[in-house]
Amino acid sequence: MWQSSPPGSIYDYIRVASFSIGPDGLIEQWSRRAAGLFGIAADKAVGLDPVEAFMPAELRTDGRRRIGEILDGREWTGLVPFRIPGDDPVHGLAEIYVMPSETETGERAALCIVVDVRALRRIETDLAASQAIFGQSPFGFVLFGTDLTVIRANQRFATVFGGLAADHRGRTVDDYLSRPEADRLTATLERVLETGASVTDLQLVGTAPGDTESRHWSMNLYRVHSGSGRPIGIAGLATDVTRRHIAAREAASARRNLALLNEASARIGNSLDLETTARELLDVAVPGFCDLASVDLYQGLLTGDEAPPGRWDSLRQESVGGSAELRRVALASAVSDALPATDLDAPDTGSGPPALGAVHRFSYSSPCAIALRTGHVEDVPGDDLGFVQSTLAVPMVAHDTVVGLVQFSRTKGSEPFGERDRALATELAARAAVCIDNARLYRREHERALILQRSLLPPGDPVAAGLDIACRYLPGNTATEVGGDWFDVIELPGHRTALVVGDVMGRGLRAAVAMGELRTAVRTLALLDLEPAEVLSALDEVARGLGTPGGGTSSSSGGGAQWPSRAAHRSREADLSEVYLATCVYAVYDPVTRRCTFANAGHLPPAAVQPGEPAMLLDVPPGMPLGVGGEPFEEVEVELKEGALLALYTDGLVESRDHPLDEGLHALRGALVAPERPLEDVCDHVLTTLDTRHGEDDIALLMARIRGLPVDAVGDWRLPREPRSVGRARELARDQLIAWELDELVDTTELLVSELVTNALRYGEGEIRLRLLRDRTLVCEVWDAGLVQPRRRRARDTDEGGRGLQLVGLLSVAWGSRRTPRGKTVWFELALPDGEPVAERTVEQLMSMF
């Protein structure tokens, strides 16, 4: 089949058929369409009488008359019932157009054009339905041709865009939409026309004629075909979804706000740090809520002033014409090149926004100052450059106190702030304000706790003669960084050193206070130069006194009247006793002999690593904890080799809920490897190796590497008990100082040695021993077997003696005496010369010797 007209014409739908009748009234020609319409092939239809073959019997008389009229040259058009021959004939109705014709011989004939009336009725029905749908649809209906121009639009479409429906014929999408939206719709139409794939819910934005507000349309597009399948255009169904879009936008805004609040609850206030909390607020707000934001906090709040910031400060500044000083602590932007330069020491120049870290004031009449004074949100006009569209100045209020100001800004192109946004901004600022106020209170308490803790621990890095010292303190209460564990390094006469590690039961501030009192008592007892066991015995009495109301030791005697409230105080006394129950290990190290004497009050055994040997726990008998009383303490003396490592620690290092103490002690011995490494590294290795479970208990670790005094730094002589020993002592001291190149100290040392040896001869007993020690200072010791301790006194004008110890006290840095197992030792200490000239004595100092 060929044709010159495009496929899909009207004839394809109405199925036109044709046949011809000869002069004899019989079928002469029969087309294929006729065969399809009537169901009879051409070879059977040719030669049949059409009246007899197709018409019902009751219509045949009229049919023959009509045939006769037609053969007489008369045209006729009408509806003719027909039937298809057969046992079960099918009846139909045809519209026939009969045109008379002539044969080659001039005889009359006829050409019949037949249309199936059923096909016509279907077309009419389809057209009527199409017209009803297209014309009566409540939605905008538009049909684009293959050239993407409007072929037809319904009245609803014309109502939105103006004019009559016929006026839109020939228009293009550029007549309805802005260029970006028109280009997007054109590209979609071309894709639908090319691929045949339909598009649903295409969102378009535009404005109707005479309307300034943007409208939102949802458009469905599909390709339209002819009966033969040829694309003839694109149909579009447009629905105004502006209200739905507004509702969806409001719902999305509500969901976003809820999500922001949920995120704020999770992210703001995790650090208890003022600046970090401010940054957390901006991390939540930018870009989810705004494009640019900043946080200013009162300077007094940041510097730790006790006076509360907020409205009182703001009102007080009224006289100077502005708000109180604020510091910009956080700044964030989702727009490039929108942030000012960052300078932590930047001054307030008064022009442009303050830089991060700058201290500034808001002018009295500015919206920001008004927000700080009133505690209400204020709108800030956009900037002069038109970059910022709108800004909210939101005071940060916590517990009726304004702690600062946060500004939320949106740039051009973003949606301006609405009432719902103002409420959200207020809620975000309030949540951050509470966290900042908590951080302020925490910082204040934390600083106080740190001051207390630092005052209770040795300042700086402890230094001791003959020892390298490294220490670590990790409080179990990480919030306050205070606890009940302590360590101490105490210098004793003779370049000896006391090493102390203790543990008060409990944690936190109360334990720290108890620890401070016990540490002070230890230092006081150590200065008396008592033996380690004696120190712990005295400390046990002190601990029991601290655990009793009034500071005295508890008594169990039954005589005498009792206060009526004593029974009520028993539980409180028990609680206090538990707080002041503590363990302690006290060790005294002598660098001359490299011997260390230990005494233990219920504490864990010290660990030691001798060169070339594995780590071991020293067998120091554990006595009862301090505060229990009733049991004596034993001493153990251990000789440590040069380079040996000594570790004193608390139970937080080796014990936790997850493993028993034995496993922790075994792990500690395993961690004390490579003792030749730097001592600080050994400390860090122990802490990182052991499963300390930091946070469960306090941890104190004191490590010492043995560095005994060299032999040439010690001068030790024994002198007989005779007068000439005084001169001999001066001679020995002078020769030793000259050998040590300490010539500047010779005269003073000779004088003071002479005084001490003379006193030993006069008041002491037994053999006299003179010892000189050179380390960071020069120490001179005179030993004898007498038990009478020297006592400094002021001599009267008529006294011939009694001024020796006054002279020792005046010329030395320090002096004193201590008991020994076989008598006593009197000592003095001189500072080593540093090259500076020695200061001359004042008249008062010289006169005090007489």
Side-chain angles (χ1 to χ4, degrees), residues 298 310-319 322 324 364 373-374:
Y298 280 108
R311 301 179 188 178
W312 182 79
D313 274 343
S314 299
L315 295 174
R316 183 184 61 178
Q317 295 298 326
E318 184 175 351
S319 60
Y364 181 77
R373 288 197 301 272
T374 63

Side-chain angles (χ1 to χ4, degrees), residues 48-328:
L48 292 178
D49 182 353
V51 174
E52 294 292 336
F54 301 106
M55 296 185 67
E58 63 274 12
L59 298 177
R60 289 175 184 173
T61 302
D62 186 61
R64 291 191 182 95
R65 181 174 59 82
R66 295 291 183 186
I67 290 296
E69 294 176 354
I70 292 171
L71 293 178
D72 289 339
R74 186 177 178 180
E75 291 187 3
W76 180 80
T77 302
L79 297 177
V80 177
F82 68 89
R83 64 181 183 84
I84 299 175
D87 297 335
D88 188 13
V90 178
H91 296 273
L93 184 64
E95 184 177 86
I96 300 179
Y97 176 51
V98 182
M99 298 174 290
S101 64
E102 293 182 357
T103 63
E104 294 178 354
T105 59
E107 293 179 299
R108 298 288 179 91
L111 177 62
C112 300
I113 304 299
V114 183
V115 177
D116 189 352
V117 174
R118 293 174 300 177
L120 290 177
R121 296 293 179 269
R122 284 196 300 269
I123 292 174
E124 291 174 355
T125 302
D126 292 345
L127 287 175
S130 176
Q131 181 62 30
I133 294 174
F134 196 86
Q136 301 173 22
S137 172
F139 308 110
F141 220 125
V142 63
L143 180 63
F144 295 95
T146 55
D147 58 354
L148 304 186
T149 60
V150 176
I151 298 175
R152 187 178 179 185
N154 67 350
Q155 189 57 42
R156 177 59 182 171
F157 186 87
T159 301
V160 175
F161 291 99
L164 300 176
D167 297 337
H168 294 273
R169 188 184 303 274
R171 293 184 180 180
T172 64
V173 294
D174 294 310
D175 298 319
Y176 305 104
L177 300 173
S178 62
R179 176 52 60 88
E181 291 291 272
D183 291 344
R184 191 161 64 92
L185 178 56
T186 299
T188 305
L189 290 172
E190 291 175 347
R191 186 171 67 253
V192 172
L193 186 62
E194 179 182 356
T195 64
S198 61
V199 173
T200 59
D201 198 21
L202 175 65
Q203 296 292 319
L204 299 172
V205 180
T207 55
D211 195 357
T212 58
E213 295 185 1
S214 296
R215 310 291 295 177
H216 294 262
W217 293 287
S218 173
M219 199 163 191
N220 298 328
L221 300 171
Y222 58 94
R223 192 170 67 182
V224 180
H225 305 86
S226 68
S228 61
R230 175 176 61 87
I232 60 174
I234 303 127
L237 182 64
T239 306
D240 191 336
V241 293
T242 304
R243 292 184 179 179
R244 188 177 71 185
H245 179 80
I246 294 174
R249 184 176 59 189
E250 292 180 350
S253 176
R255 288 193 300 270
R256 180 200 64 189
N257 292 352
L258 289 175
L260 279 174
L261 290 176
N262 183 57
E263 185 180 5
S265 300
R267 297 181 58 182
I268 298 176
N270 293 322
S271 64
L272 285 178
D273 178 78
L274 294 171
E275 292 83 354
T276 303
T277 301
R279 289 193 296 269
E280 289 170 347
L281 168 62
L282 299 194
D283 290 340
V284 172
V286 180
F289 177 67
C290 61
D291 302 316
L292 182 67
S294 62
V295 176
D296 299 299
L297 298 180
Y298 280 108
Q299 180 71 355
L301 182 145
L302 295 170
T303 55
D305 291 350
E306 291 298 326
R311 301 179 188 178
W312 182 79
D313 274 343
S314 299
L315 295 174
R316 183 184 61 178
Q317 295 298 326
E318 184 175 351
S319 60
V320 299
S323 68
E325 285 188 341
L326 298 107
R327 177 180 287 272
R328 181 144 294 182

Side-chain angles (χ1 to χ4, degrees), residues 455-575:
S455 67
L456 299 178
L457 294 176
D461 297 326
V463 178
L467 291 175
D468 295 335
I469 303 292
C471 50
R472 296 290 186 274
Y473 174 76
L474 301 175
N477 189 343
T478 56
T480 61
E481 297 190 15
V482 295
D485 290 13
W486 89 92
F487 64 90
D488 210 343
V489 179
I490 307 170
E491 293 187 68
L492 300 178
H495 288 316
R496 295 170 305 134
T497 303
L499 304 176
V500 189
V501 168
D503 183 1
V504 176
M505 290 188 179
R507 292 188 297 176
L509 195 58
R510 295 182 67 191
V513 172
M515 175 266 285
E517 297 181 5
L518 292 177
R519 176 179 178 270
T520 302
V522 170
R523 278 191 160 264
T524 302
L525 294 170
L527 293 178
L528 297 177
D529 210 353
L530 303 176
E531 296 297 324
E534 294 176 322
V535 170
L536 293 186
S537 295
L539 188 62
D540 178 62
E541 293 294 331
V542 172
R544 283 192 289 163
L546 294 175
T548 304
T553 57
S554 59
S555 175
S556 58
S557 61
Q562 295 184 351
W563 294 100
S565 60
R566 183 157 186 174
H569 289 172
R570 287 177 181 173
S571 60
R572 180 173 179 270
E573 293 178 11
D575 291 342

Side-chain angles (χ1 to χ4, degrees), residues 497-679:
T497 303
L499 304 176
V500 189
V501 168
D503 183 1
V504 176
M505 290 188 179
R507 292 188 297 176
L509 195 58
R510 295 182 67 191
V513 172
M515 175 266 285
E517 297 181 5
L518 292 177
R519 176 179 178 270
T520 302
V522 170
R523 278 191 160 264
T524 302
L525 294 170
L527 293 178
L528 297 177
D529 210 353
L530 303 176
E531 296 297 324
E534 294 176 322
V535 170
L536 293 186
S537 295
L539 188 62
D540 178 62
E541 293 294 331
V542 172
R544 283 192 289 163
L546 294 175
T548 304
T553 57
S554 59
S555 175
S556 58
S557 61
Q562 295 184 351
W563 294 100
S565 60
R566 183 157 186 174
H569 289 172
R570 287 177 181 173
S571 60
R572 180 173 179 270
E573 293 178 11
D575 291 342
L576 290 172
S577 298
E578 182 179 358
V579 169
Y580 290 104
L581 196 64
T583 63
C584 179
V585 60
Y586 185 90
V588 175
Y589 171 69
D590 188 343
V592 178
T593 61
R594 294 197 306 276
R595 289 181 176 273
C596 194
T597 304
F598 296 91
N600 192 347
H603 203 79
L604 296 174
V609 184
Q610 300 277 27
E613 299 179 11
M616 62 179 178
L617 299 178
L618 300 180
D619 187 12
V620 180
M624 298 299 293
L626 301 175
V628 175
E631 293 292 334
F633 298 99
E634 300 182 39
E635 291 182 358
V636 171
E637 187 176 71
V638 178
E639 183 175 352
L640 300 171
K641 299 179 182 178
E642 182 76 15
L645 200 63
L646 180 64
L648 306 180
Y649 52 92
T650 56
D651 57 357
L653 182 69
V654 294
E655 187 177 22
S656 74
R657 301 170 184 170
D658 298 331
H659 56 74
L661 178 60
D662 291 343
E663 292 183 9
L665 294 174
H666 179 75
L668 173 63
R669 293 196 301 270
L672 292 173
V673 295
E676 69 281 355
R677 295 171 57 185
L679 200 56

Side-chain angles (χ1 to χ4, degrees), residues 197 310 402 740:
V402 179
W740 286 341

